[in-house]
Amino acid sequence: MFKLFVADLKMLLRNRQALFWSLMFPLMFTFIFGFFFGKNTSVGTIALINQSDTEIASNLDKMIRDSAVFKIDGTIADPADAKEKIGKNKISAALIIPPEFGNLHSPAAPVKVIFINNPNNIQVNQVLLGLVDRYFTGLTYNINNIPRAIFGVDEEKTTANELTYFDFVLAGILGLALMNASIIGVSVTMSKYREDKILKRITALAEYVGNNFCCFPNVI
């Protein structure tokens, strides 16, 4: 087994085409993804349309922008435009704060924001809804003068390094490289063996040994 491994390794090193697809191509693929997505810490691009001038609406708007979790497309001011761009996958979701939202002195003021989304963007939808729900929960506690919860979570980080989008993609790239080496590598090797008539030699040797097994008792 060791001799076969050494022989295959030598053949790989001598074959520049196989060496490129086995080593250089995955490295180039990793470098390209790392260059474009290595600094990306957002989970997606959304539209944030604030049509209310109340303090509650302004605080919600500020909280989402300060979280730096999303890229905000500031060119969208119309809900219809937001729906169109979501349909074309130009943005992931849109949060619309309707007029008079947060006006506690008006009974007719809306009490719900409008969340336009694509069900396929599960990660963006969950993160955005989580932020909005946390803000509304704290706001409800303050308005109703409900005491805060006694128990909570004190978070401690073991490292100061922040994970980026590329940190999650890298595992997939490595898996793709392994699958490429396993599937494409075997097919290329078998084609090369057939072209060099190595398979014929192996078949002929197997037939010869099988027909003359009595003469080679120590082969197996």
Side-chain angles (χ1 to χ4, degrees):
M1 181 65 71
F2 178 73
K3 291 182 178 180
L4 182 60
F5 170 75
V6 173
D8 288 341
L9 183 60
K10 288 182 179 179
M11 294 177 64
L12 175 64
L13 295 177
R14 291 170 184 173
N15 191 340
R16 295 182 179 179
Q17 182 179 1
L19 190 63
F20 171 79
W21 288 106
S22 300
L23 299 177
M24 294 304 300
F25 182 73
L27 290 176
M28 291 173 55
F29 206 57
T30 304
F31 174 77
I32 292 173
F33 268 84
F35 179 78
F36 285 102
F37 299 105
K39 301 298 183 181
N40 186 13
T41 58
S42 65
V43 298
T45 303
I46 66 171
L48 182 57
I49 305 175
N50 186 5
Q51 299 175 333
S52 177
D53 57 355
T54 62
E55 183 179 358
I56 293 177
S58 299
N59 290 337
L60 175 60
D61 185 293
K62 184 177 184 299
M63 185 270 296
I64 295 177
R65 294 180 187 275
D66 291 346
S67 67
V69 178
F70 308 99
K71 288 183 178 179
I72 309 297
D73 190 338
T75 63
I76 303 176
D78 185 14
D81 189 18
K83 289 182 180 180
E84 181 181 356
K85 289 194 174 183
I86 292 175
K88 294 180 179 180
N89 290 325
K90 292 184 177 180
I91 60 174
S92 301
L95 186 68
I96 303 172
I97 305 175
E100 293 299 316
F101 175 83
N103 188 353
L104 303 179
H105 302 289
S106 175
V111 295
K112 293 183 178 181
V113 296
I114 302 172
F115 178 55
I116 305 174
N117 68 90
N118 185 341
N120 296 327
N121 298 322
I122 299 177
Q123 182 181 9
V124 175
N125 297 342
Q126 290 180 344
V127 173
L128 182 56
L129 286 177
L131 283 175
V132 175
D133 183 67
R134 185 175 64 180
Y135 174 78
F136 285 162
T137 300
L139 185 64
T140 303
Y141 273 99
N142 292 332
I143 293 176
N144 294 329
N145 293 323
I146 300 176
R148 293 285 182 175
I150 299 176
F151 301 101
V153 178
D154 189 10
E155 181 182 3
E156 292 185 6
K157 295 183 179 181
T158 58
T159 177
N161 297 330
E162 294 185 0
L163 295 177
T164 63
Y165 177 76
F166 179 69
D167 295 322
F168 298 95
V169 174
L170 181 60
I173 294 178
L174 294 177
L176 181 62
L178 291 175
M179 289 190 297
N180 179 69
S182 301
I183 299 175
I184 305 299
V186 171
S187 61
V188 171
T189 302
M190 295 301 292
S191 301
K192 185 66 176 176
Y193 283 175
R194 181 180 180 183
E195 181 181 350
D196 295 341
K197 298 182 179 180
I198 296 177
L199 295 180
K200 275 189 176 182
R201 298 175 187 176
I202 295 175
T203 304
L205 179 61
E207 291 179 355
Y208 180 78
V209 173
N211 295 333
N212 301 275
F213 180 75
C214 59
C215 302
F216 300 93
N218 296 324
V219 172
I220 301 179

